[in-house]
């Protein structure tokens, strides 16, 4: 691999994504992408005694499903790369207990899935691994309770607020060429323009997303039209509009080919404020919708950004603003349908 | 780089650690290693309004100090790699706000510093970076409040309980050869043998540490006597004894050259239970004591393990046991004192 420009890594032998899967909640299943997901859990408890254990079970199940779809066993993996929004990333850590595979824990808030895929691709291209499993998850009740009003108090949805996605997604990256490849990765800087309202994550994250998009295009010497789609993780409607405005101010027009996973996930009748948020948002849309679109050549080259707001439940009460980050990967279809 | 055995990566061009620094609390300064640390903060508040902000300030200061010692500016860095114990790793995220450098967020509980150094070495050896800054921190009051009895209630110290270290440590890794190098990295598996008492972290983490030590020695084909020192991050007295017992059962004798940073940090008169714990424990001992010992050839080759307990404050209340992890790096002195 080699560094290209200031923040981008170009892979010499771009790792292939040989398998992906997702498990979602009922609300996500009822949205426009419902038909694409692999499984739906019965309700928020997922047959477990607590919401946290429901999320851990969903995460374990998506790891197994992704391996099964790749016809691999746990011992075929070199590394697990994962993280999530629950304090101390317990959904990711606990779900790896039965995996006899080295675990590399990450935290990038809702950018974690793309961070994991970027690091996994680096490990493979650098020669440290042949196969890695990347995964993450989020869970409406577990996350909302931790970060926002306790659910039981009855939660209001102003138009700029987003709903945490219930969903788990995973991918297996391989050193074998072909299929859909991760060809570049652009790790983002922390950007904090002073937004302090933890209900308005879209506005907080938009400047970080815009920064990484501009940096990526500059590093690789392309324009937005060189991509079939530029898609962010969970900016929601407010953040999506703001990114398009910020990019437009810099002379970068993405009117034709810009989307946000959090917006794609729900119908307007589903009353989710500005859309979905959470680690699961980009993870399930990438795993079950975007990757198949690339595999079947409905899309040829896309830029996917994981977008994360790096606050916790204490910092807004202490008067802090919200530092945000966005990591990007370029996904390229080679047209070789390799098993 | 190349994979060696099941879990170890051997670097082709081992990255050099060109700078390191630490900032500690009063208790750590009064311990046996006090004279080695770069700075001491005045008290738990570190001239800030909250404990969390005290930790963030200490972390920012150690980043600046480490760069200063390397005669580098922020723009010389390719990446920041960091994480910490505060919910959503805010000490690491927030302290990177003024750094115009891509940030890769990690979470390995108290193994985070060694995880960061291992990943940073991979990025450099793989060609993705020339210089990276790795850092972490922990803070007694901020951490104990989050995980254990609120400090104000008056906290008891049974002999197996550990005290969270107040300390921040950082290193700069470079692609230039010489000095003290990271020659190998062994990422650990998650190990959970059923310990459920969050006061007894040493017993919970010992099996993970033992697993990674045995795996490393097997992967590289060495015995403990090939190392001047094998040192764990924060097992404390109880965990340290347990690791030595677990290793001995497997025919691996480390009686002569085994130490734990959490034990090294305090005198027995300091009333800290079994010793220190927290991300800062291994970070400050590596940054300010072990690296100089290697630089001046009092030590030639050591194995350093970061040891992490991957619980949060909710999981013990939900009846969960504690998954643990240990990551290791080999540090080798080349004897070339390169600036």
């Amino acid at each position: 691999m080699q560094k290209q420009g200031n923040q981008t890594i170009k892979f010499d032998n771009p790792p292939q994504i040989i398998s992906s899967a997702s498990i979602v909640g009922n609300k996500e299943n009822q949205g426009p992408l419902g038909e694409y997901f692999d499984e739906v859990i019965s309700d928020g408890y997922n047959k477990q005694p607590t919401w946290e254990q429901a999320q851990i079970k969903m995460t374990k199940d998506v790891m197994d499903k992704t391996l099964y779809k790749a016809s691999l066993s746990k011992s075929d993996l070199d590394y697990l790369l994962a993280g999530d929004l629950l304090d101390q990333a317990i959904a990711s850590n606990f779900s790896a207990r039965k995996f006899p595979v080295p675990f590399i824990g990450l935290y990038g808030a809702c950018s974690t899935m793309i961070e994991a895929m970027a690091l996994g691709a680096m490990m493979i291209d650098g020669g440290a691994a042949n196969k890695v499993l990347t995964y993450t998850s989020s869970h409406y009740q577990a996350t909302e309770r931790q970060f926002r009003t306790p659910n039981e108090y009855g939660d209001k949805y102003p138009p700029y607020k987003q709903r945490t996605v219930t969903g788990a997604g995973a991918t297996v990256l391989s050193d074998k060429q072909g299929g859909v490849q991760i060809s570049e990765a652009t790790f983002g800087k922390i950007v904090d323009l002073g937004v302090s309202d933890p209900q308005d994550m879209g506005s907080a994250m938009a400047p970080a997303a815009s920064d990484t998009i501009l940096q990526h295009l500059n590093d690789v010497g392309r324009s937005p039209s060189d991509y079939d789609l530029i898609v962010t993780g969970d900016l929601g409607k407010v953040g999506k509009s703001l990114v398009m405005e910020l990019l437009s101010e810099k002379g970068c027009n993405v009117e034709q080919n810009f989307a946000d996973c959090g917006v794609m996930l729900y119908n307007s009748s589903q009353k989710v404020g500005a859309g979905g948020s959470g680690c699961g948002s980009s993870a399930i849309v990438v795993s079950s919708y975007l990757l198949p679109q690339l595999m079947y050549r409905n899309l040829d080259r896309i830029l996917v950004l994981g977008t994360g707001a790096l606050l916790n439940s204490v910092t807004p009460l202490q008067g802090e603003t919200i530092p945000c980050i966005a990591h990007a990967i370029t996904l390229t279809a080679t047209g070789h349908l390799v098993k």
Side-chain angles (χ1 to χ4, degrees), chain A residues 250-281:
Chain A
K250 300 278 182 182
C252 178
N253 184 352
V254 294
E255 288 289 329
Q256 302 304 315
N257 57 347
F258 189 69
D260 178 73
C261 299
V263 175
M264 294 162 75
L265 273 170
Y266 302 104
N267 293 310
S268 53
S269 62
Q270 287 185 285
K271 296 188 180 161
V272 294
S277 69
C279 292
S281 180

Side-chain angles (χ1 to χ4, degrees), chain A residues 63 77-82 96 99 101-105 132-135:
Chain A
M63 295 164 76
L77 297 170
D78 297 303
Y79 297 98
L80 308 176
L81 290 129
F99 270 71
V101 180
F103 177 87
I104 299 176
V132 305
L133 179 68
T134 72
Y135 63 95

Side-chain angles (χ1 to χ4, degrees), chain A residues 16-17 179-180 290-297 299 333 336-337:
Chain A
Q16 185 191 171
I17 302 164
V180 181
L290 294 171
L291 285 173
Q293 295 294 315
L294 285 154
M295 184 59 86
Y296 294 109
R297 304 301 295 268
L299 299 168
H336 304 291
L337 289 169

Side-chain angles (χ1 to χ4, degrees), chain A residues 74-123:
Chain A
K74 293 173 181 174
S75 59
D76 293 320
L77 297 170
D78 297 303
Y79 297 98
L80 308 176
L81 290 129
D84 62 273
L85 280 172
L86 291 185
D87 292 344
Q88 287 67 50
I90 55 160
S92 306
N93 295 329
F94 280 57
S95 58
R97 278 196 278 205
K98 302 286 179 197
F99 270 71
V101 180
F103 177 87
I104 299 176
L106 308 176
Y107 184 71
C110 309
S111 74
T112 304
M113 188 67 178
I114 303 304
E115 181 187 351
M117 293 173 76
L119 279 173
M122 276 182 40
M123 295 183 76

Side-chain angles (χ1 to χ4, degrees), chain A residues 60-71:
Chain A
K60 279 196 285 198
D61 288 347
V62 87
M63 295 164 76
D64 289 341
K65 181 156 276 290
T66 311
L67 280 186
Y68 176 80
K69 287 171 82 172
S71 303

Side-chain angles (χ1 to χ4, degrees), chain A residues 4 34 53 74 77 86 93 100 115-116 122 130 166 192 218 229 243 245 249 261 277 286 292 329:
Chain A
Q4 192 164 16
Q53 284 159 344
K74 293 173 181 174
L77 297 170
L86 291 185
N93 295 329
E115 181 187 351
M122 276 182 40
N130 298 322
T166 295
D192 182 347
N218 195 49
L229 191 67
V243 166
E245 204 177 307
E249 278 173 14
C261 299
S277 69
V286 168
I329 52 175

Side-chain angles (χ1 to χ4, degrees), chain A residues 175-188:
Chain A
D175 60 335
K176 296 281 188 303
Q177 309 291 294
V180 181
Q181 300 182 337
I182 302 177
S183 47
E184 294 142 358
T186 306
F187 288 100

